[in-house]
């Protein structure tokens, strides 16, 4: 195949070869998908319907749940459909759409998590100015900036990736269309353009990570100075769910993209991809609702 225009579909990696294992994969993914829909759907409904939860923290949590629903809906239903129909195919433009929507929602989620860290910082370190800094208008602007950042990031990467000539076949070694796997199909050194974008992205991601870490350093410093044990516990309970979600998100991404090449194998890549694309949207609702009395009551 000389270039990307010489074929009209990609072949995704299958989870299993036998019908029994394909059905097992279908039912497992269906259970996970329904759990994610239920958990995130309940959080969205509770926050939207209960006026007591119309605060900046829950506004950003609503955005996070919407992004989680979108992220898991981009990859899991197609994988389930392929298992049922015993096919590995995804159309060329379907693959491009999947890449765009996955990276759009995934990067927007990271941006929202960064904004949520700032929200927690203001709430604990600058409580007297919280209402002014985190006003309704400011929150909407921050959320819009997070979504817009994800959109531009995905548009840039998708357009650049699918403008690169592909001549190494059309088999994607992943259960969904992922940029690193598509770049393996590129010709000669044409992938260097995308590599440049990846490096710039890495600096931005690292900058957000440093911002989150520094925010929590100041948060924990402020919390430890609170004389009342009850107030300290309340402050920690406000921050720990977000910190747990960030840790799950970052650790799964780092395992996926920073593991040594010597450990790379199709099976391991498949497991790791499930870890960072399927697990966080499913467990995030559990993490946020587990010790949150207001959310449970709603």
């Amino acid at each position: 195949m000389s270039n990307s225009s010489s074929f009209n579909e990609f072949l995704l990696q299958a989870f299993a070869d036998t019908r029994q294992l394909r059905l097992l994969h279908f039912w497992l993914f269906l259970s996970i998908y329904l759990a994610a829909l239920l958990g995130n759907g309940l959080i969205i409904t509770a926050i939207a319907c209960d006026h007591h939860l119309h605060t900046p923290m829950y506004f950003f949590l609503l955005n996070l749940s919407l992004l989680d629903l979108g992220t898991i809906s981009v990859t899991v239903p197609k994988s389930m459909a392929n298992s049922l129909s015993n096919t590995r195919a995804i159309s060329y433009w379907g693959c491009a759409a999947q890449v765009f929507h996955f990276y759009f929602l995934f990067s927007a989620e990271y941006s929202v998590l960064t904004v949520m860290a700032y929200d927690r910082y203001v709430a604990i370190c600058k409580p007297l100015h919280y209402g002014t800094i985190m006003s309704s208008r400011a929150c909407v602007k921050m959320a819009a900036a997070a979504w817009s950042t994800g959109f531009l990031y995905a548009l840039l990467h998708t357009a650049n990736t699918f403008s690169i000539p592909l001549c190494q076949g059309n088999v994607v070694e992943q259960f969904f269309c992922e940029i690193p796997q598509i770049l393996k199909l590129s010709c000669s050194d044409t992938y260097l353009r995308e590599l440049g974008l990846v490096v710039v992205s890495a600096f931005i991601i690292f900058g957000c990570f440093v911002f989150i870490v520094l925010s929590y350093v100041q948060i924990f410093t402020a919390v430890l100075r609170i004389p009342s044990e009850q107030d300290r516990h309340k402050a920690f309970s406000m921050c720990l769910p977000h910190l747990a979600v960030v840790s799950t998100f970052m650790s799964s991404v780092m395992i996926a993209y920073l593991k040594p090449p010597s450990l790379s194998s199709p099976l391991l890549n498949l497991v790791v991809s499930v870890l960072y694309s399927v697990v966080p949207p499913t467990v995030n609702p559990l993490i946020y609702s587990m010790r949150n009395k207001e959310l449970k009551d709603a």
Side-chain angles (χ1 to χ4, degrees), residues 247-279:
S247 300
T248 303
F249 185 90
M250 290 302 299
S251 59
S252 60
V253 170
M254 285 191 287
I255 291 172
Y257 289 102
L258 298 180
K259 66 180 184 297
S262 58
L263 295 179
S264 184
S265 69
L267 179 61
L268 182 61
N269 290 339
L270 204 59
V271 172
V272 169
S273 66
V274 171
L275 183 65
Y276 84 85
S277 64
V278 176
V279 172

Side-chain angles (χ1 to χ4, degrees), residues 6-200:
S6 60
F7 56 86
N8 56 14
E9 68 178 19
F10 289 95
L11 297 177
L12 302 175
Q13 186 172 356
F15 276 89
D17 296 326
T18 65
R19 177 171 173 76
Q20 289 79 8
L21 289 177
R22 285 198 305 272
L23 287 175
L24 177 63
H25 159 242
F26 171 80
W27 288 111
L28 179 62
F29 262 35
L30 180 62
S31 302
I32 293 172
Y33 186 55
L34 291 177
L37 289 180
L38 179 64
N40 287 291
L42 284 174
I43 287 179
I44 292 168
T45 305
I47 294 173
C49 296
D50 192 335
H51 70 277
H52 293 105
L53 301 182
H54 293 177
T55 63
M57 182 177 78
Y58 291 109
F59 171 71
F60 292 123
L61 179 56
L62 184 145
N63 277 266
L64 187 69
S65 292
L66 286 171
L67 290 165
D68 278 336
L69 274 181
T71 302
I72 199 168
S73 296
V74 168
T75 57
V76 169
K78 177 61 179 174
S79 182
M80 291 191 300
N82 280 4
S83 285
L84 274 186
S85 56
N86 190 23
T87 181
R88 298 166 54 196
I90 182 172
S91 69
Y92 180 85
W93 292 112
C95 184
Q98 195 175 62
V99 166
F100 172 78
H101 286 99
F102 180 78
Y103 283 91
F104 163 42
L105 296 164
F106 202 71
S107 54
E109 180 168 343
Y110 186 55
S111 300
V112 168
L113 287 172
T114 306
V115 172
M116 290 174 80
Y118 178 70
D119 172 64
R120 295 300 82 210
Y121 162 75
V122 176
I124 292 174
C125 298
K126 299 183 178 181
L128 298 179
H129 303 286
Y130 184 74
T132 305
I133 297 174
M134 302 301 294
S135 64
S136 298
R137 180 175 293 183
C139 290
V140 170
K141 286 181 178 178
M142 290 179 191
W147 286 76
S148 299
T149 300
F151 179 84
L152 292 174
Y153 178 87
L155 185 64
L156 191 64
H157 279 284
T158 305
N160 198 54
T161 299
F162 285 89
S163 67
I164 295 173
L166 306 178
C167 56
Q168 303 294 325
N170 65 339
V171 178
V172 178
E173 294 181 352
Q174 190 58 274
F175 80 95
F176 65 97
C177 288
E178 187 186 39
I179 289 177
Q181 298 301 326
I182 294 173
L183 291 180
K184 289 182 179 179
L185 309 178
S186 63
C187 308
S188 63
D189 295 330
T190 53
Y191 70 90
L192 291 176
R193 290 181 300 172
E194 175 63 19
L195 188 61
L197 287 176
V198 170
V199 171
V200 173

